[in-house]
Amino acid sequence: MKEKEKKYNDFGLGEKPETDGYRAVNKDGSFNIVKTNIPFFEKLNFFHNLVTMSWSHFFLYILIGYFVINILFASIYVAIGVENLTGTSGNTLLQEFTEAFFFSAQTITTLGYGRVAPIGIPANIVAAIESMLGLLTFALATGLLYGRFSKSRTKIKYSDIGVIAPYLDINGFMIRVVNPQKNELLEVNADLSVSFCKKDSQLREFHNLELERDMVFFFPSVWTIVHPIDESSPLYQMTQKEFQERDVEFIVMLKAFDESSSQTLYSRSSYKANEIVWGAKFTYLGEHDDGKLNIDVSGLNKYEKYKLQ
Amino acid sequence: MKEKEKKYNDFGLGEKPETDGYRAVNKDGSFNIVKTNIPFFEKLNFFHNLVTMSWSHFFLYILIGYFVINILFASIYVAIGVENLTGTSGNTLLQEFTEAFFFSAQTITTLGYGRVAPIGIPANIVAAIESMLGLLTFALATGLLYGRFSKSRTKIKYSDIGVIAPYLDINGFMIRVVNPQKNELLEVNADLSVSFCKKDSQLREFHNLELERDMVFFFPSVWTIVHPIDESSPLYQMTQKEFQERDVEFIVMLKAFDESSSQTLYSRSSYKANEIVWGAKFTYLGEHDDGKLNIDVSGLNKYEKYKLQ
Amino acid sequence: MKEKEKKYNDFGLGEKPETDGYRAVNKDGSFNIVKTNIPFFEKLNFFHNLVTMSWSHFFLYILIGYFVINILFASIYVAIGVENLTGTSGNTLLQEFTEAFFFSAQTITTLGYGRVAPIGIPANIVAAIESMLGLLTFALATGLLYGRFSKSRTKIKYSDIGVIAPYLDINGFMIRVVNPQKNELLEVNADLSVSFCKKDSQLREFHNLELERDMVFFFPSVWTIVHPIDESSPLYQMTQKEFQERDVEFIVMLKAFDESSSQTLYSRSSYKANEIVWGAKFTYLGEHDDGKLNIDVSGLNKYEKYKLQ
Amino acid sequence: MKEKEKKYNDFGLGEKPETDGYRAVNKDGSFNIVKTNIPFFEKLNFFHNLVTMSWSHFFLYILIGYFVINILFASIYVAIGVENLTGTSGNTLLQEFTEAFFFSAQTITTLGYGRVAPIGIPANIVAAIESMLGLLTFALATGLLYGRFSKSRTKIKYSDIGVIAPYLDINGFMIRVVNPQKNELLEVNADLSVSFCKKDSQLREFHNLELERDMVFFFPSVWTIVHPIDESSPLYQMTQKEFQERDVEFIVMLKAFDESSSQTLYSRSSYKANEIVWGAKFTYLGEHDDGKLNIDVSGLNKYEKYKLQ
């Protein structure tokens, strides 16, 4: 994050932010923005959707797709006449359809037992097309699965609460983040901003906050991000009551290099006034044992009461 | 974009730009440059072409390729003699060819019903080669499909027009961009340049323009890029008539990180004199509703008339 | 590595490092940190594990998975009744199970000889599901294999020992690194830190060390990283005995662009007091021969005794 | 390329460069360095080799591999006894082997016609293993093909010769580069260095050369890289004869973002004294035609004689 950027005093989240308890960034890092009237073809992102949807949806879609496509081809085979498929023995239309359905499944997966096989030109043409379609579809599935798995799944976890804690001889605003996975995050940059209403106004002002430390080279476990509330801080002498009344929203952004996926990772979260504990310090989580440093990541939100300065 | 770069006064688009209404960059960001006499093998980029061509062309090529390769192998099987394929019953050459064609399709997709199967060494050799070839081809298709889908499809949309609008107590040149997709763009950098003819000359001069803000960390929806026309601006006191006569061309470049594909994205567009509206301001598109900010992206080009300063 | 980062005086490795002979970074670059109480689903990283595990484990898992899944489906076919599989001839349950097992293998791989083939709806449904599952599984295997192979395998090798050697008219701390592979590493940045106990204390202090040169554009072979021990160095006038007593730990980090994989590569190692040779210089490894420079990379750890200054 | 790097006065190419007409960097950008005594397993990079070898070698290896593996499995089937394969009719060992060979090919490609099919446990086990092995192998081939194709194939072309040409009111050293492909290169950075023997010495000195312009944002066609030989240049007042005697070597490095592959691209080349033409200027290659700028890239090496200043 460059020096130049820091001077900007809004989050780039729209041009006229108003104050109605609006939360610009949700806890999970998404934005409270809805885009409307997007042209259909620009909104559409087939691959993106299939890569980001949940696994259960993904498999459901595949199953449904597989079922539908076999229904479709079975209908074609029945229309052509199942007498063009050797080895079929169906008498009723339903039996014929069932035979054709399973023949279709054997064809699209290129299984091809051959107990049932096409004879004659029409059935053979359909089978030739179906088998190629099958290969292309599963080629696509291969890409999708790779896309799903290779996406960096590293999720930085943010403490649910921020704290106002004593820091050196002043106070500080602190949040805590943890990297719960095994893979390393490197060159982790942090950026902390705050917005709140101007005095006696519905309009908001935006500030970038100085950090005790805005980058760690290694991030193997836990990092407490600290904004010292000194004279130069826009939070200087603000009280807990003012935090509520002026509807503060802290936005924290992290940028890191994920060693396991060789990808750059962006992450963000936010803290509103009611998610901030006054006069508390995060509990230290480390414990030296047998030449190792044990970090209990489940204690991310643990804090102890401290008297403020 | 580094400080150093800014001082350069051309776009790197050829050494002797002349002024004949020439447009250096098209609206879609492509360059008005044709490279000739490229050696054949350097021009060729098989994979690149197959990944960037349209979907309809892509499937057409695959279908044609599938058809041609089966014709080819069918000819070989017929040449060897279809008596080397069990289960064939063709009498005429055409019937034999048809049988061989479908056998080839069943072989190259590794479907292998087995109703028709090779016997004897020559037919078996051809079938063994064909099936391996088929697997490699569909391996390639897998890669191509993945390459096509995984390419960042994010397209930043530029307003069709730029405006000269009042800005603070001066005027400014403004364009507006929108991210129409669901995925987030982060650390978006903008760079704006202009070129126009020197006074009473056919030669062009180039200028990099200062921006009110040249980067936004988040770009969830709409961003208005503003160049304030103050005394230091090369556009200072230029009139609408001069814009036409001196044949101005604005070139805007954006660079962003696309979170969904973890790729860096470059984008550019241009504005000629007749694409600039004087005395107009872009209409604000946001609307707060139910704790959400609604952005109507279809209003990208909407503006209202304003008196200039 | 930015100027700003350099001023930080710890490694970001926990908040209260204590001195009990604790080694923060192991020789192989891993951290001596154990994270406990990670929620199960956050710890889990199926793809990551399958991509990073050893080849022998990888193939073992695949074999076991293949075996188990066939056992499973064989059981289903037996439950349905092998009379629904044509061509089976088993009399005992074991024989039936064996036939079903191999039929399952032929189905999941989409081999489908057809000597054994399903008839009737239940067996056909199971076979249709199994073949699709097989394709998806092998689609996944394709992605895994690609993920395994495409991972940058470039391993920078660090000398086992560091040396304190004469350097110009003072002494220097030196380590040596080698790029043993054929591919080029470009824009290699080095960062060297040291931590040791404060005088008469169990608490540690951390220092970033100035390097004679902290980046090379090319890294085709060998690079000696040198920290000159001048008056400004925290190591100034420290003796070999103090190195032991104050439990020094040097941490070196490298960042490079790997041309063959187009990926950024991070690497790190550490040196404790007993891995440092006092009064020694690394032996030069190059030899000009026939217009080529030969570098004997096996001599990475070779040194010659030198009198210190 | 950072300011800091520029001050370094060698190329990072070994510690004691000697002057025996040695060329550090070849025209194609490779280094004249041979690494010896690399431990076998570190040298080995199976995937890297298969991805970077020529297409003819690649297909040859695949064909040989396919042939060898089928020979292997055929031997196993013969050892088990071809009577365990239904439909085989071979009498002699050769005939049996041939049948087994083709059965193996049908199995490893998962073709499975079924005319020949395994019966009994041993043959079935081998076939089950072979078909799974086949799928894994072709999964690997898929990855390899994708790896081969997706590698950025963009090759920046360097002029064969550099020229010493008049530049403003002094002279300059110039080389010319061209991007012969259709895809765009963006943010192209150039770095030019020179090394030559110290006066009356066999030892070399290294200099980084100032460029008229060290980056272009767009690189759609041709770029002439210019080092002005002013008083501050290490080449100031050096003659053509000195260039020869002091054995100059210019090394040029380019770094660019390849838009089509979303990858960063590094490239380099070198110029020795006999590849430099004194008193010549590169011929301008552009021609405006029909609103387009035509660039004749085949004229990359064209120059005209000019009198030096």
Side-chain angles (χ1 to χ4, degrees):
Chain A
M1 290 157 204
K2 285 171 293 178
E3 207 51 44
K4 204 156 184 195
E5 172 199 352
K6 300 249 173 178
K7 81 174 180 208
Y8 299 129
N9 286 329
D10 70 75
F11 304 147
L13 295 174
E15 290 150 334
K16 289 179 191 163
E18 292 160 40
T19 175
D20 50 351
Y22 174 67
R23 178 171 207 143
V25 174
N26 296 313
K27 290 301 274 186
D28 66 357
S30 61
F31 299 105
N32 257 326
I33 283 181
V34 178
K35 284 178 259 189
T36 57
N37 289 325
I38 304 175
F40 180 70
F41 278 106
E42 276 162 27
K43 199 164 50 178
L44 209 74
N45 202 334
F46 183 61
F47 185 78
H48 178 68
N49 291 345
L50 282 168
V51 164
T52 53
M53 67 173 54
S54 74
W55 279 106
S56 49
H57 275 83
F58 180 70
F59 282 119
L60 194 69
Y61 275 104
I62 283 187
L63 258 178
I64 291 173
Y66 184 55
F67 190 74
V68 167
I69 210 161
N70 282 326
I71 294 276
L72 209 91
F73 273 99
S75 309
I76 297 175
Y77 292 119
V78 169
I80 292 172
V82 290
E83 63 277 10
N84 292 308
L85 302 178
T86 63
T88 50
S89 53
N91 294 315
T92 69
L93 186 65
L94 183 67
Q95 281 175 331
E96 285 186 351
F97 190 85
T98 310
E99 293 257 21
F101 182 89
F102 292 126
F103 169 72
S104 165
Q106 290 163 24
T107 299
I108 206 164
T109 58
T110 78
L111 185 48
Y113 292 120
R115 194 183 64 72
V116 180
I119 42 175
I121 292 179
N124 260 307
I125 285 178
V126 177
I129 290 172
E130 187 178 10
S131 60
M132 195 196 63
L133 191 73
L135 284 174
L136 287 182
T137 311
F138 286 105
L140 177 55
T142 303
L144 284 172
L145 277 166
Y146 182 68
R148 289 181 72 90
F149 273 119
S150 66
K151 261 189 95 67
S152 170
R153 285 184 59 240
T154 310
K155 295 256 176 292
I156 293 173
K157 282 188 76 175
Y158 293 83
S159 58
D160 295 336
I161 49 141
V163 298
I164 304 285
Y167 170 76
L168 302 181
D169 56 344
I170 53 174
N171 294 322
F173 172 73
M174 305 182 184
I175 63 161
R176 191 150 71 168
V177 288
V178 75
N179 165 15
Q181 262 108 12
K182 266 197 289 186
N183 46 325
E184 304 305 345
L185 294 178
L186 301 171
E187 293 200 71
V188 186
N189 286 277
D191 191 272
L192 184 65
S193 299
V194 73
S195 86
F196 46 75
C197 296
K198 288 178 204 289
K199 268 206 171 104
D200 307 314
S201 160
Q202 290 289 81
L203 290 172
R204 282 186 162 270
E205 50 182 285
F206 300 84
H207 299 278
N208 204 293
L209 301 178
E210 284 295 313
L211 298 181
E212 170 211 39
R213 176 171 187 168
D214 64 7
M215 109 80 96
V216 283
F217 197 85
F218 301 134
F219 179 35
S221 54
V222 177
W223 181 22
T224 301
I225 298 170
V226 178
H227 163 63
I229 307 179
D230 56 18
E231 290 86 351
S232 67
S233 167
L235 306 179
Y236 190 59
Q237 293 186 325
M238 271 178 82
T239 63
Q240 187 168 6
K241 193 155 152 276
E242 277 180 285
F243 265 44
Q244 288 285 358
E245 286 171 0
R246 299 179 69 178
D247 193 24
V248 298
E249 176 173 5
F250 289 90
I251 297 187
V252 60
M253 303 177 283
L254 293 176
K255 176 182 174 181
F257 181 83
D258 181 357
E259 203 173 26
S260 76
S261 67
S262 289
Q263 288 176 351
T264 301
L265 192 91
Y266 288 84
S267 165
R268 53 200 170 268
S269 191
S270 73
Y271 295 85
K272 296 282 282 185
N274 59 344
E275 291 154 2
I276 295 164
V277 178
W278 286 69
K281 237 183 168 166
F282 287 114
T283 310
Y284 178 64
L285 304 176
E287 198 174 297
H288 278 275
D289 175 31
D290 198 20
K292 295 262 176 192
L293 179 62
N294 289 294
I295 304 281
D296 177 359
V297 296
S298 71
L300 177 61
N301 291 313
K302 277 197 192 133
Y303 60 86
E304 287 145 33
K305 282 291 182 184
Y306 270 80
K307 207 174 159 330
L308 287 179
Q309 270 145 345
Chain B
M1 288 154 205
K2 284 171 295 177
E3 208 50 45
K4 205 158 183 192
E5 174 199 348
K6 301 247 174 180
K7 81 172 182 211
Y8 299 130
N9 287 328
D10 70 76
F11 304 146
L13 295 175
E15 290 151 336
K16 288 179 190 163
E18 290 160 41
T19 176
D20 50 352
Y22 174 67
R23 178 171 207 142
V25 174
N26 296 314
K27 291 300 273 185
D28 67 357
S30 62
F31 298 105
N32 257 326
I33 283 180
V34 179
K35 285 178 256 187
T36 57
N37 288 325
I38 305 175
F40 181 71
F41 278 105
E42 275 161 27
K43 200 163 48 177
L44 209 73
N45 202 333
F46 183 61
F47 185 78
H48 178 68
N49 291 345
L50 282 168
V51 164
T52 53
M53 68 173 55
S54 74
W55 279 105
S56 50
H57 274 83
F58 180 70
F59 282 118
L60 194 70
Y61 274 105
I62 283 188
L63 259 179
I64 290 173
Y66 184 55
F67 191 73
V68 166
I69 211 162
N70 281 327
I71 293 277
L72 209 91
F73 273 99
S75 309
I76 297 174
Y77 291 120
V78 170
I80 292 171
V82 289
E83 64 277 9
N84 291 311
L85 303 177
T86 63
T88 51
S89 52
N91 294 315
T92 69
L93 187 63
L94 184 65
Q95 282 175 330
E96 286 186 350
F97 191 85
T98 311
E99 294 256 21
F101 182 88
F102 292 125
F103 169 72
S104 163
Q106 290 164 26
T107 299
I108 206 163
T109 58
T110 77
L111 186 48
Y113 293 118
R115 194 184 62 73
V116 180
I119 42 173
I121 292 180
N124 261 307
I125 286 178
V126 177
I129 290 172
E130 188 179 10
S131 59
M132 195 196 63
L133 191 73
L135 283 173
L136 287 181
T137 311
F138 287 103
L140 178 56
T142 303
L144 284 173
L145 277 167
Y146 182 68
R148 290 183 71 91
F149 274 119
S150 67
K151 260 189 95 68
S152 171
R153 286 184 58 239
T154 309
K155 295 258 174 291
I156 293 174
K157 281 188 76 178
Y158 293 83
S159 59
D160 295 336
I161 47 141
V163 299
I164 303 287
Y167 171 76
L168 302 180
D169 55 344
I170 52 172
N171 294 321
F173 171 75
M174 305 183 185
I175 63 162
R176 192 150 72 167
V177 289
V178 74
N179 165 16
Q181 262 110 12
K182 267 198 291 187
N183 47 323
E184 305 305 345
L185 294 179
L186 301 171
E187 292 201 70
V188 186
N189 287 278
D191 191 272
L192 183 66
S193 299
V194 70
S195 85
F196 46 75
C197 295
K198 287 178 204 290
K199 268 206 173 105
D200 308 312
S201 160
Q202 292 288 81
L203 290 172
R204 284 186 161 270
E205 49 183 286
F206 300 83
H207 299 278
N208 206 292
L209 301 178
E210 285 295 315
L211 298 180
E212 172 212 37
R213 178 171 185 169
D214 63 7
M215 109 81 97
V216 284
F217 196 85
F218 300 134
F219 180 34
S221 54
V222 177
W223 180 23
T224 300
I225 298 169
V226 177
H227 163 63
I229 308 179
D230 56 16
E231 290 86 351
S232 67
S233 166
L235 305 179
Y236 190 58
Q237 293 186 324
M238 270 178 84
T239 63
Q240 188 167 6
K241 192 154 154 275
E242 276 180 286
F243 265 45
Q244 287 286 358
E245 285 171 2
R246 299 179 69 176
D247 192 25
V248 297
E249 176 174 5
F250 289 90
I251 297 186
V252 60
M253 303 178 283
L254 293 176
K255 176 183 173 180
F257 181 81
D258 181 357
E259 204 174 24
S260 76
S261 66
S262 288
Q263 288 175 352
T264 301
L265 191 91
Y266 288 85
S267 166
R268 51 197 172 271
S269 190
S270 72
Y271 296 85
K272 295 284 282 186
N274 59 344
E275 290 154 1
I276 295 163
V277 177
W278 286 68
K281 237 182 169 168
F282 287 114
T283 310
Y284 179 63
L285 304 175
E287 200 173 295
H288 277 275
D289 175 31
D290 198 21
K292 293 264 176 191
L293 180 61
N294 289 294
I295 304 281
D296 177 357
V297 297
S298 71
L300 177 61
N301 291 312
K302 277 199 192 131
Y303 60 87
E304 287 146 33
K305 280 292 180 186
Y306 269 81
K307 207 176 157 334
L308 287 180
Q309 269 144 345
Chain C
M1 287 151 204
K2 287 170 294 181
E3 207 51 43
K4 204 157 184 193
E5 172 199 352
K6 302 249 171 178
K7 79 175 183 209
Y8 298 130
N9 287 328
D10 70 76
F11 304 145
L13 295 174
E15 289 150 333
K16 288 181 190 161
E18 291 160 40
T19 176
D20 50 350
Y22 174 65
R23 178 172 208 143
V25 174
N26 295 315
K27 290 302 271 186
D28 67 356
S30 61
F31 299 105
N32 258 325
I33 284 180
V34 179
K35 285 178 259 190
T36 57
N37 288 326
I38 305 175
F40 180 70
F41 278 105
E42 277 162 27
K43 199 164 50 178
L44 210 71
N45 202 332
F46 183 61
F47 185 77
H48 178 69
N49 290 344
L50 282 169
V51 164
T52 52
M53 69 173 54
S54 73
W55 279 106
S56 50
H57 274 83
F58 180 70
F59 282 118
L60 194 69
Y61 275 103
I62 283 188
L63 258 178
I64 291 172
Y66 184 56
F67 190 75
V68 166
I69 210 162
N70 282 326
I71 294 276
L72 210 90
F73 274 98
S75 309
I76 297 174
Y77 292 119
V78 169
I80 292 170
V82 289
E83 63 277 11
N84 291 309
L85 303 178
T86 63
T88 50
S89 53
N91 295 315
T92 68
L93 186 65
L94 183 66
Q95 282 174 330
E96 285 185 352
F97 190 85
T98 310
E99 293 256 22
F101 182 88
F102 292 125
F103 169 72
S104 163
Q106 290 163 25
T107 299
I108 205 162
T109 59
T110 78
L111 185 48
Y113 293 119
R115 195 183 62 74
V116 180
I119 43 175
I121 292 179
N124 261 306
I125 286 178
V126 178
I129 289 172
E130 187 179 11
S131 58
M132 195 196 61
L133 191 74
L135 283 174
L136 286 182
T137 312
F138 286 105
L140 178 56
T142 303
L144 285 172
L145 277 166
Y146 182 68
R148 291 182 70 91
F149 273 118
S150 67
K151 260 189 96 69
S152 170
R153 286 184 59 239
T154 309
K155 295 254 175 297
I156 293 173
K157 282 188 75 176
Y158 293 82
S159 59
D160 295 337
I161 48 143
V163 298
I164 303 286
Y167 170 75
L168 301 181
D169 56 344
I170 52 173
N171 295 321
F173 172 73
M174 304 182 186
I175 63 161
R176 192 151 70 169
V177 287
V178 76
N179 166 15
Q181 263 110 11
K182 267 199 288 188
N183 47 325
E184 305 304 345
L185 295 178
L186 300 171
E187 293 200 69
V188 186
N189 286 277
D191 192 272
L192 184 66
S193 299
V194 70
S195 85
F196 45 76
C197 296
K198 289 178 205 287
K199 269 209 170 101
D200 307 314
S201 161
Q202 290 288 81
L203 290 171
R204 282 186 162 270
E205 52 184 283
F206 300 84
H207 300 278
N208 204 291
L209 301 178
E210 285 294 315
L211 297 181
E212 170 211 38
R213 175 170 188 170
D214 64 9
M215 110 80 97
V216 284
F217 196 86
F218 301 134
F219 179 34
S221 53
V222 176
W223 180 22
T224 300
I225 298 169
V226 177
H227 163 61
I229 308 178
D230 55 16
E231 290 85 351
S232 67
S233 166
L235 306 179
Y236 191 60
Q237 294 186 327
M238 270 178 82
T239 62
Q240 186 167 8
K241 193 154 155 276
E242 277 180 284
F243 265 44
Q244 288 287 357
E245 285 170 0
R246 298 178 71 177
D247 193 23
V248 297
E249 176 174 4
F250 289 90
I251 297 186
V252 60
M253 303 178 283
L254 293 176
K255 176 184 175 181
F257 182 82
D258 181 357
E259 203 173 25
S260 76
S261 66
S262 288
Q263 290 176 350
T264 301
L265 191 93
Y266 288 84
S267 166
R268 51 201 172 268
S269 190
S270 73
Y271 296 85
K272 297 283 282 186
N274 59 345
E275 290 153 2
I276 293 162
V277 177
W278 285 68
K281 238 182 169 168
F282 286 115
T283 309
Y284 178 63
L285 303 176
E287 199 173 298
H288 278 275
D289 176 30
D290 199 19
K292 295 262 176 194
L293 179 61
N294 289 294
I295 303 283
D296 177 0
V297 298
S298 70
L300 178 61
N301 291 314
K302 277 198 192 131
Y303 60 85
E304 287 146 34
K305 282 291 182 185
Y306 269 79
K307 209 173 158 333
L308 288 179
Q309 268 143 347
Chain D
M1 287 151 204
K2 285 171 294 178
E3 207 51 43
K4 204 158 182 191
E5 173 200 349
K6 301 251 172 176
K7 80 175 184 210
Y8 298 130
N9 288 327
D10 70 77
F11 304 145
L13 296 175
E15 289 150 335
K16 287 180 191 163
E18 289 160 41
T19 176
D20 50 351
Y22 174 67
R23 178 171 207 143
V25 174
N26 296 315
K27 290 300 271 186
D28 68 355
S30 62
F31 298 105
N32 257 325
I33 283 180
V34 179
K35 287 179 257 189
T36 57
N37 289 325
I38 305 174
F40 181 71
F41 278 104
E42 276 163 27
K43 200 163 47 177
L44 210 71
N45 202 334
F46 183 60
F47 185 77
H48 178 69
N49 290 345
L50 281 169
V51 164
T52 52
M53 69 172 56
S54 73
W55 279 106
S56 50
H57 274 83
F58 180 69
F59 283 118
L60 193 69
Y61 274 104
I62 283 188
L63 259 178
I64 291 173
Y66 185 55
F67 190 75
V68 166
I69 211 163
N70 282 327
I71 293 277
L72 210 91
F73 273 99
S75 309
I76 298 174
Y77 292 120
V78 170
I80 292 171
V82 289
E83 65 277 9
N84 291 312
L85 303 178
T86 62
T88 50
S89 54
N91 295 314
T92 68
L93 186 65
L94 183 66
Q95 282 174 331
E96 287 185 351
F97 190 85
T98 311
E99 294 256 21
F101 181 89
F102 292 125
F103 169 73
S104 162
Q106 291 163 25
T107 299
I108 205 162
T109 59
T110 78
L111 186 48
Y113 293 117
R115 196 183 61 73
V116 180
I119 42 174
I121 293 180
N124 261 306
I125 287 178
V126 176
I129 290 172
E130 187 179 11
S131 59
M132 195 196 63
L133 191 72
L135 282 174
L136 287 181
T137 311
F138 287 104
L140 178 56
T142 302
L144 284 173
L145 277 167
Y146 182 68
R148 291 183 70 92
F149 273 118
S150 67
K151 259 189 96 69
S152 170
R153 285 183 60 240
T154 308
K155 294 257 175 293
I156 293 174
K157 281 187 74 176
Y158 293 83
S159 59
D160 295 336
I161 47 141
V163 298
I164 303 287
Y167 171 75
L168 301 181
D169 56 342
I170 52 172
N171 295 319
F173 172 74
M174 304 180 185
I175 63 161
R176 192 150 71 168
V177 288
V178 74
N179 166 15
Q181 262 109 12
K182 268 198 288 187
N183 47 325
E184 305 305 344
L185 296 178
L186 300 170
E187 292 201 69
V188 186
N189 286 278
D191 192 272
L192 184 65
S193 298
V194 70
S195 85
F196 46 76
C197 296
K198 289 178 205 289
K199 272 211 169 99
D200 308 312
S201 161
Q202 292 287 81
L203 290 173
R204 283 185 161 270
E205 50 183 284
F206 300 83
H207 300 278
N208 206 291
L209 301 179
E210 285 295 315
L211 297 181
E212 171 212 37
R213 177 171 187 168
D214 63 8
M215 109 81 96
V216 283
F217 196 85
F218 301 134
F219 180 33
S221 53
V222 175
W223 182 22
T224 301
I225 298 170
V226 178
H227 162 62
I229 307 179
D230 56 15
E231 290 85 354
S232 68
S233 166
L235 305 179
Y236 190 57
Q237 294 185 326
M238 271 178 83
T239 62
Q240 186 167 7
K241 192 154 155 275
E242 274 180 286
F243 265 45
Q244 287 287 358
E245 285 170 1
R246 298 178 70 177
D247 194 25
V248 297
E249 177 173 5
F250 289 90
I251 297 186
V252 59
M253 303 178 283
L254 293 177
K255 176 182 174 180
F257 181 81
D258 181 358
E259 203 174 25
S260 76
S261 66
S262 289
Q263 287 176 352
T264 301
L265 192 91
Y266 288 85
S267 166
R268 51 198 172 271
S269 190
S270 73
Y271 295 86
K272 296 283 282 187
N274 58 344
E275 289 154 3
I276 294 164
V277 177
W278 285 68
K281 237 181 169 168
F282 287 115
T283 310
Y284 178 62
L285 303 177
E287 198 173 299
H288 278 275
D289 175 31
D290 198 20
K292 294 264 176 191
L293 179 63
N294 289 295
I295 303 281
D296 176 1
V297 297
S298 71
L300 178 61
N301 291 313
K302 278 200 191 127
Y303 60 86
E304 287 146 34
K305 281 291 181 185
Y306 269 80
K307 207 175 157 335
L308 289 179
Q309 266 142 347

